[in-house]
Amino acid sequence: MIPRSARGRMAVDRTIKVLSTFFSLLALVALGWILFAVLARGMGAINLQFFTKLPTPPGMAGGGLGNAILGTGIITAIATILGVPIGLLGGVYLAEFGADSRLATATRFTSNVLMGTPSIIIGVFVYTILVLPRGQFSGYAGAVALSIIMLPVIARTTEDMLALVPNALRESALALGAPRWKVTLGVVFRAARNGLVTGALLAVARVSGETAPLLFTALNSPFWPESIMRPMPNLTVTIFNYAMSPFADWKAMAWGASLLIMAAVLVLAVGSRIVFRQKST
Amino acid sequence: MSTALDKLVAVVRGGGKVSETTPPTGRADVAFRWLTAACALLVILIMAGMVVELFYNSRLSLKEFGFGFLWSTDWNPVLQKFGAASSIYGTLVSTILAMVIAMPLGVLTALFLVELAPPGISKVVGAGVELLAAVPSIIFGMWGLFVFAPFMADHVQPFLQQWLGFLPLFRGAPLGIGMLPAGIILALMILPFITAVSRDVFAMVPSVVKESGYGMGSTTWEVTRKVTLRHGIRGIIGAGFLGLGRAIGETMAITFVIGNSHQLSASLFEPGNSIASTLANEFTEASEPMYLSALIELGLVLFFMTVIAQMIAHFWLNRVRRQMGDGL
């Protein structure tokens, strides 16, 4: 066997190193480009009125998206109230009781599939069960759609986080005579608190930027939200409608709303990382 | 062990009063157990409900068009003739484009993060890639339509046409929107998932094996190609299916840039549509029962496409994990 020349091999090695460095920086460039574009184009729309006023017809100065900001807050809050407790309890079953039972295995598998189901399909599903029978779009249907997206995410992270809690902790608490539910909620939950908060924050971050599941559930509205049983204004669908409109001032508003959503999602995502890191120290 | 006990003591002293307040009753425990099981069951019920509702609400269209729905290119709300071909084609083309771009990019990025970059840089770049996954779809859409599309139209597409214009893929007016920009933006969106799984796979390769390679005088690339990649190839394929499942159903970003036309076209410069973008655009406009039913059937098709991709990824990755666990 003739040994290949070292120079050729080194050259190939160096080329690959340069390529992989270049390509991994490409992702950073894309991120930077997106952040910069949203910041540069969105800043102009942000002022006090943006947070407090109703939208105006195209061409009319002033106005804001106060109603959509409030609506997005309401929808996300209701989704969190619905999704987090059910997800937590489902995760408790997977980690504490289910183990390898048939129900637990099926739930794990279904959660994975549900997590990968396109959010627009979840929107169609909620449309068929909540909007079609009543004949009316509603903020509450939007919240249910978002909570369905949160549910499997929270259940699986809860399971993972509870699995990290050492068994000795459970055994000791049980040995003291505490019932199982109290052990879980009082001891295991407390030990896994940071992880659980991280999971919930990540799930909220994920749904607060969602548009597709709201398109035909919450719809949108140019008025202040009055009832959760009626169409509810929200930022993401407003961005979609305004961006597709031919009016320059509406497009500017859409950029402002994009900046707001982007900032909220990034704060939640980075915040959850900080919470999680506290655990390890 | 002692730390766990310390923690327990702290927790119990802190405010638990576990043993005093509640005598251990079996009934509360049974109820709690059932409650958690019900919550777990709810996930399965939602999934089952979704299948039932999608089938039930597309019954009109299922009966009217049968299997022909899948390959008919009609999409005429006025004449009430519907077929999914252009939407399915667009979904497949944009997904394949995204995979072709994102797979090598993701694997190279993972390689950089695990093997090449100094730990500090690896951490920063890794965090940036993860942050890219947190960017909402609609933000990608805004950026894609108003920033990236003009850039494509002015710089990238004329360049492609000049050098590769003889291919039918690159014919047509450089509009900046269409299949190609949609595929590129999809690639950016699934890149973080492929990178994350590939990174885990690379990190799972035992360092002893790699070190033996280096000990024989191999270069970094040779160790990567012959040891790390060979060890992790099946994991990377699984990562591909995960990314595929995401790309198929991505909605808002695609709706912004794909152009939304029901025309079938071989050129990547021409506007097209995908199942998800058709739903996003037309669902609220569908006033007739048949139109709505056809749209829900489109949703059903999309649902099955993603479920199949997810299932392949799930079983494949489980198998790989078991085998790698045994092999190590």
Side-chain angles (χ1 to χ4, degrees):
Chain A
M1 228 169 91
I2 306 155
R4 282 186 295 144
S5 85
R7 195 183 290 171
R9 292 169 51 217
M10 299 292 263
V12 171
D13 189 51
R14 211 161 296 144
T15 316
I16 296 286
K17 276 181 183 167
V18 170
L19 273 181
S20 78
T21 310
F22 173 76
F23 281 127
S24 52
L25 291 180
L26 215 60
L28 282 194
V29 169
L31 179 70
W33 195 1
I34 293 170
L35 291 181
F36 173 78
V38 171
L39 206 60
R41 294 175 184 228
M43 274 314 272
I46 304 275
N47 50 34
L48 186 62
Q49 286 192 335
F50 184 83
F51 293 96
T52 55
K53 288 279 189 330
L54 281 178
T56 50
M60 230 161 89
L65 294 176
N67 59 337
I69 295 169
L70 182 64
T72 290
I74 294 173
I75 293 173
T76 312
I78 297 175
T80 309
I81 292 168
L82 289 174
V84 170
I86 299 178
L88 277 177
L89 288 175
V92 166
Y93 178 78
L94 294 180
E96 305 286 317
F97 301 119
D100 287 329
S101 70
R102 207 173 290 171
L103 175 60
T105 317
T107 304
R108 268 181 216 116
F109 174 71
T110 319
S111 300
N112 283 354
V113 176
L114 194 56
M115 265 194 268
T117 302
S119 54
I120 193 152
I121 299 293
I122 290 167
V124 172
F125 169 59
V126 172
Y127 174 88
T128 62
I129 58 167
L130 293 180
V131 178
L132 209 51
R134 283 185 61 227
Q136 184 164 40
F137 298 98
S138 63
Y140 139 80
V144 169
L146 294 188
S147 71
I148 292 177
I149 297 173
M150 291 173 87
L151 191 57
V153 180
I154 297 195
R156 288 314 301 270
T157 43
T158 302
E159 185 193 3
D160 290 346
M161 293 306 153
L162 296 189
L164 293 177
V165 177
N167 235 342
L169 213 58
R170 291 184 187 88
E171 285 162 4
S172 328
L174 287 171
L176 287 173
R180 195 72 200 256
W181 65 270
K182 197 136 204 176
V183 174
T184 306
L185 298 181
V187 179
V188 181
F189 262 35
R190 238 179 254 198
R193 193 182 57 203
N194 281 338
L196 298 180
V197 173
T198 306
L201 281 178
L202 278 178
V204 174
R206 190 170 158 200
V207 300
S208 55
E210 279 287 359
T211 315
L214 298 180
L215 282 174
F216 17 92
T217 52
L219 203 68
N220 200 0
S221 139
F223 310 111
W224 289 104
E226 274 174 10
S227 153
I228 57 167
M229 302 312 273
R230 310 188 129 265
M232 191 167 276
N234 60 87
L235 279 172
T236 45
V237 177
T238 304
I239 296 174
F240 181 50
N241 293 343
Y242 278 20
M244 295 301 171
S245 78
F247 313 113
D249 48 349
W250 276 17
K251 282 181 185 165
M253 277 292 189
W255 278 108
S258 302
L259 176 58
L260 200 60
I261 283 284
M262 180 92 201
V265 169
L266 290 188
V267 165
L268 281 169
V270 173
S272 65
R273 274 169 152 262
I274 293 171
V275 170
F276 192 64
R277 205 164 297 156
Q278 274 178 346
K279 185 188 186 173
S280 48
T281 52
Chain B
M1 210 51 146
S2 67
T3 54
L5 274 178
D6 289 347
K7 231 185 226 170
L8 171 79
V9 172
V11 165
V12 174
R13 275 198 194 136
K17 287 182 225 143
V18 175
S19 50
E20 295 164 35
T21 47
T22 28
T25 47
R27 205 175 291 164
D29 262 4
V30 172
F32 182 61
R33 198 196 156 110
W34 277 102
L35 179 67
T36 61
C39 290
L41 188 64
L42 189 64
V43 177
I44 299 176
L45 289 180
I46 288 173
M47 201 66 187
M50 209 176 295
V51 177
V52 171
E53 284 291 321
L54 286 176
F55 266 112
Y56 179 73
N57 286 289
S58 56
R59 64 192 182 281
L60 274 180
S61 160
L62 282 168
K63 199 185 269 175
E64 174 80 22
F65 306 114
F67 278 108
F69 184 77
L70 293 176
W71 50 80
S72 159
T73 52
D74 289 332
W75 191 268
N76 194 329
V78 182
L79 295 177
Q80 302 270 303
K81 289 272 176 247
F82 299 101
S86 74
S87 301
I88 293 176
Y89 173 80
T91 302
L92 291 179
V93 170
S94 58
T95 304
I96 291 169
L97 259 178
M99 294 299 294
V100 167
I101 300 168
M103 278 302 278
L105 225 63
V107 172
L108 277 175
T109 307
L111 189 66
F112 174 78
L113 294 177
V114 176
E115 304 286 345
L116 301 178
I121 293 179
S122 172
K123 211 176 235 176
V124 173
V125 176
V129 175
E130 272 173 42
L131 220 50
L132 198 60
V135 174
S137 179
I138 192 151
I139 304 290
F140 273 102
M142 288 292 283
W143 173 78
L145 180 61
F146 295 111
V147 181
F148 188 65
F151 173 79
M152 281 291 287
D154 293 343
H155 303 289
V156 181
Q157 289 183 334
F159 176 80
L160 282 173
Q161 236 161 13
Q162 194 181 343
W163 295 100
L164 297 164
F166 58 89
L167 292 171
L169 285 179
F170 302 111
R171 294 225 174 105
L175 295 170
I177 54 170
M179 284 292 179
L180 185 62
I184 293 174
I185 288 172
L186 260 188
L188 283 179
M189 298 182 74
I190 60 173
L191 181 66
F193 295 94
I194 296 178
T195 306
V197 180
S198 308
R199 186 162 70 164
D200 292 348
V201 168
F202 286 161
M204 268 164 80
V205 178
S207 47
V208 182
V209 184
K210 282 191 274 189
E211 280 158 14
S212 338
Y214 287 120
M216 301 291 286
S218 304
T219 61
T220 312
W221 169 239
E222 283 164 351
V223 169
T224 303
R225 188 163 61 95
K226 293 183 179 160
V227 179
T228 315
L229 276 182
R230 199 157 290 180
H231 215 99
I233 184 71
R234 286 167 308 174
I236 292 168
I237 293 174
F241 278 110
L242 275 187
L244 188 77
R246 298 240 144 224
I248 292 175
E250 205 24 82
T251 309
M252 294 321 291
I254 296 296
T255 307
F256 272 74
V257 295
I258 202 163
N260 303 313
S261 133
H262 282 284
Q263 297 295 318
L264 271 173
S265 165
S267 169
L268 299 180
F269 286 7
E270 295 288 340
N273 65 350
S274 75
I275 296 178
S277 77
T278 305
L279 286 175
N281 273 314
E282 301 184 23
F283 205 89
T284 43
E285 292 167 13
S287 39
E288 302 86 9
M290 182 61 84
Y291 193 1
L292 189 66
S293 171
L295 283 169
I296 294 176
E297 191 179 347
L298 267 188
L300 186 68
V301 173
L302 176 61
F303 178 74
F304 274 111
M305 286 165 86
T306 49
V307 166
I308 289 168
Q310 293 287 328
M311 278 167 77
I312 295 176
H314 181 87
F315 288 116
W316 180 271
L317 280 175
N318 267 357
R319 229 186 78 195
V320 170
R321 234 168 256 145
R322 260 205 314 276
Q323 285 174 349
M324 281 182 92
D326 291 340
L328 298 184

